[in-house]
Amino acid sequence: PVCWGRCFVRRSRREGSKMLFLAAASRVVARVGPVCWGAAGLSRRLSNPAGLSRWTAVDDYFDGKIAPESAAKRLAREDGAASGFPEHEVSASQGKFLQVLLESVGGRRVLEIGTLAGYSTSWFAESAEEVVSLEVEPERAALAAANLERAGLAEKVRIVVGPAATSLEALPEDEPFDFIFVDADKPSNPLYFAHALRLSRPGTLIVADNVVRDGEVVDGDSTDDRVQGVRAFVDLVEREPRVTAAVLQTVGRKGWDGFMLLRVTK
């Protein structure tokens, strides 16, 4: 069975090729199995380079208008890629979104789990008084420190090197954070969530990145431990009375993913 979003039908009509489009769809189904397309027109099983190109163009438009990337941020991103680090940092629009969230809750102290090259760290440090960022890889931490120094933000940031689980254990409960960003290894999300609650106060905003994972989060039989880590995290959130939560799906140059936002209530 195939369910095609309305946007695809409209597009095929505009191109005058509805029958050809549906014929191509049937060939895809025969080759890769059942596919269901939502209104965004994205499936992990079938690539959509035209859609990704459009999403990237939209990111570029809004980045230029309301989320301009400073030279220091651009260099941080480029240095990370040149060093062979995974390109897991947020986009400029996402960085600005996180910064606006931080400012909306009046956040002064930020905990970031996963530094990488310090790209998102710099968005936080521009608005916060203090950022504690945890990074397991010394090479990444060193580059992040250099990038933050170049941006003039190093005095606001303390990078803690080592496994996040160990670093989190060492953080005191009597110094709660106003904003906590979880963006590290997904199998450990349940553990990170437990520590985030311990290190929070009523009103703290916790944001977890990459919770949609190209839609794979709905696959309970997935063999991907990152998907299962997110699903275990979601199950904990479902049963946790101390938070109220929402999920925002995102598309853009980073593909199809999403954030979970959790407000600590008690």
Side-chain angles (χ1 to χ4, degrees), residues 70-134:
S70 66
K73 291 191 185 75
R74 176 180 55 80
L75 289 170
R77 177 171 48 79
E78 292 176 352
D79 286 352
S83 298
F85 298 170
E87 296 183 28
H88 291 167
E89 73 279 349
V90 298
S91 67
S93 286
Q94 291 171 340
K96 185 62 178 291
F97 172 71
L98 292 168
Q99 188 182 72
V100 170
L101 287 179
L102 170 63
E103 294 171 351
S104 297
V105 299
R108 296 180 300 172
R109 299 192 74 233
V110 175
L111 172 62
E112 178 182 49
I113 305 175
T115 313
L116 201 59
Y119 185 81
S120 55
T121 320
S122 64
W123 284 102
F124 295 135
E126 285 178 343
S127 297
E129 294 179 7
E130 178 188 7
V131 180
V132 176
S133 188
L134 313 183

Side-chain angles (χ1 to χ4, degrees), residues 24-42:
S26 67
R27 290 195 295 272
V28 168
V29 172
R31 185 168 65 252
V32 302
V35 178
C36 179
W37 291 85
L42 178 67

Side-chain angles (χ1 to χ4, degrees), residues 160-198:
V160 181
V161 182
T166 303
S167 300
L168 286 165
E169 287 282 359
L171 294 175
E173 295 182 22
D174 59 353
E175 298 178 11
F177 292 91
D178 307 307
F179 189 100
I180 300 174
F181 184 48
V182 182
D183 190 19
D185 58 304
K186 308 313 171 190
S188 297
N189 269 10
L191 176 63
Y192 298 154
F193 178 49
H195 280 292
L197 287 175
R198 182 179 66 83

Side-chain angles (χ1 to χ4, degrees), residues 133-224:
S133 188
L134 313 183
E135 175 54 54
V136 67
E137 298 291 344
E139 184 181 0
R140 297 178 187 178
L143 181 59
N147 287 331
L148 292 163
E149 182 70 36
R150 179 169 53 200
L153 298 169
E155 291 185 359
K156 288 186 172 185
V157 181
R158 176 163 65 98
I159 300 175
V160 181
V161 182
T166 303
S167 300
L168 286 165
E169 287 282 359
L171 294 175
E173 295 182 22
D174 59 353
E175 298 178 11
F177 292 91
D178 307 307
F179 189 100
I180 300 174
F181 184 48
V182 182
D183 190 19
D185 58 304
K186 308 313 171 190
S188 297
N189 269 10
L191 176 63
Y192 298 154
F193 178 49
H195 280 292
L197 287 175
R198 182 179 66 83
L199 298 167
S200 66
R201 56 164 179 79
T204 292
L205 185 63
I206 302 170
V207 180
D209 197 7
N210 309 125
V211 298
V212 174
R213 311 205 62 80
D214 289 324
E216 289 298 307
V217 69
V218 302
D219 183 5
D221 297 323
S222 174
T223 58
D224 188 329

Side-chain angles (χ1 to χ4, degrees), residues 8-82:
F8 274 79
V9 174
R10 287 198 298 270
R11 181 180 300 170
S12 64
R13 285 173 177 164
R14 287 198 303 268
E15 295 172 354
S17 57
K18 181 178 180 182
M19 296 307 295
L20 288 173
F21 178 80
L22 293 176
S26 67
R27 290 195 295 272
V28 168
V29 172
R31 185 168 65 252
V32 302
V35 178
C36 179
W37 291 85
L42 178 67
S43 169
R44 188 173 179 84
R45 284 185 167 180
L46 181 63
S47 63
N48 183 17
L52 182 59
S53 175
R54 190 68 165 176
W55 298 338
T56 299
V58 171
D59 266 355
D60 288 342
Y61 171 76
F62 283 114
D63 289 354
K65 292 288 187 180
I66 61 176
E69 187 180 59
S70 66
K73 291 191 185 75
R74 176 180 55 80
L75 289 170
R77 177 171 48 79
E78 292 176 352
D79 286 352

